[in-house]
Amino acid sequence: MLRAYALSCGALEFDKSLFFPASAPGERIVAPVSSYLIVHPQGRLVFDTGVHCDALADPAGRLGKRIAALFTLRSRAGEDVVSQLAALGLKPNDIRYVVNSHFHFDHCGCNASFPRAQFLVQRAELAAARAEPKRYRSKDWDVPLDYREIDGEHDVFGDGTVVLLPTPGHTPGHQSLWIRPGGGMQFLMTADACYTQEHLEKSILPSNASDAALMTQSMNRLRALRDRQGAVLLYGHDAAQWHALPHGQKSLV
Ligand SMILES: [Zn+2]
Ligand SMILES: [Zn+2]
């Protein structure tokens, strides 16, 4: 039986217009940073690794001046992926796979904490991170890790329960995590393919999409999986939804 746990990796405060381009600059919002642990009989998988802990004490040093000027990390002690796993009795070496939705700083900041895991990332995302170092923070992802390049949809354990679903547009190689534990139940961790429910309902695209048309296609695909197949979408940065989810020891499934 599959289990899935929502792990809190703190929160980010930033100008609302970054998420909602029609909003006048000046209003600040706080959005959660999330990670998920999936426990499958053949191994454990972590989806996204959050922001590196050093960003709390030294934001510019860890994240770079541009990102540090835009985002303020609002995290309490224990709100990072390694501490969250420890609270479940797990160490990083207990994790077989790490999946990065993409290589933005709030999704791969703690990659280096998993030196024994195999990292499943889309080939297009690795290529983009190598080609556009200014849009990515190499400190986060460009470390000696076992990166396995995936091309398109990928069934991680070969039984259809844990599937990587390409959802490009936010970045060139963005992917979401689709879990199907059985009994018709489906969850889709969208990450930044869709920040919040409001983005999906109103088809709002943030201004930083690498390809707006592709991002719209990906959002349409997510919407169709929700509407036609009953998948529960877990949005990348939706504060209202996140706070309503069970956290810690309680499985979502
Ligand atoms: Zn992103
Ligand atoms: Zn994000």
Side-chain angles (χ1 to χ4, degrees):
M1 174 67 181
L2 207 70
R3 279 168 291 149
Y5 301 88
L7 311 179
S8 176
C9 297
L12 293 168
E13 185 193 302
F14 51 90
D15 199 285
K16 187 176 179 182
S17 60
L18 284 177
F19 264 27
F20 299 93
S23 169
E27 189 184 340
R28 306 283 285 178
I29 57 172
V30 175
V33 177
S34 57
S35 172
Y36 292 91
L37 167 70
I38 310 299
V39 180
H40 183 279
Q42 290 176 46
R44 301 180 186 90
L45 177 150
V46 161
F47 180 60
D48 282 344
T49 63
V51 183
H52 195 280
C53 300
D54 288 356
L56 261 181
D58 180 14
R62 179 69 208 187
L63 307 176
K65 282 189 185 149
R66 186 181 68 85
I67 295 289
L70 290 173
F71 298 94
T72 305
L73 187 55
R74 300 272 180 230
S75 303
R76 290 170 300 205
E79 288 186 320
D80 63 89
V81 67
V82 175
S83 301
Q84 295 276 302
L85 289 171
L88 291 167
L90 296 172
K91 297 185 181 70
N93 288 350
D94 295 322
I95 304 304
R96 180 174 177 189
Y97 295 116
V98 174
V99 174
N100 289 126
S101 59
H102 63 307
F103 282 150
H104 281 164
F105 74 99
D106 52 325
H107 298 264
C108 65
C110 295
N111 275 12
S113 297
F114 297 88
R116 293 214 191 148
Q118 184 172 70
F119 283 72
L120 308 178
V121 296
Q122 291 289 325
R123 187 182 301 274
E125 190 67 8
L126 264 172
R130 287 178 182 133
E132 301 178 83
K134 282 190 182 152
R135 289 183 67 120
Y136 297 89
R137 190 77 179 149
S138 61
K139 259 187 188 178
D140 288 332
W141 70 271
D142 196 7
V143 279
L145 293 167
D146 178 15
Y147 283 113
R148 180 168 154 204
E149 299 186 29
I150 305 292
D151 261 326
E153 201 167 310
H154 177 68
D155 182 348
V156 178
F157 296 104
D159 61 2
T161 59
V162 180
V163 174
L164 309 184
L165 184 72
T167 42
H170 174 72
T171 58
H174 190 284
Q175 60 185 349
S176 300
L177 183 71
W178 190 8
I179 63 166
R180 296 180 288 198
M185 212 174 355
Q186 295 185 41
F187 291 91
L188 231 157
M189 288 73 171
T190 70
D192 287 359
C194 189
Y195 287 149
T196 71
Q197 184 173 354
E198 187 175 348
H199 286 85
L200 192 82
E201 302 296 357
K202 298 180 181 168
S203 296
I204 298 168
L205 293 187
S207 49
N208 67 346
S210 73
D211 184 323
L214 256 185
M215 189 165 183
T216 299
Q217 272 179 33
S218 292
M219 277 171 68
N220 289 343
R221 186 163 186 203
L222 292 169
R223 190 183 294 105
L225 286 167
R226 180 191 69 172
D227 295 344
R228 293 188 202 145
Q229 297 195 24
V232 175
L233 302 187
L234 299 176
Y235 304 100
H237 294 287
D238 188 316
Q241 183 187 51
W242 179 251
H243 294 305
L245 283 181
H247 292 93
Q249 314 273 345
K250 212 166 163 203
S251 174
L252 301 170
V253 177

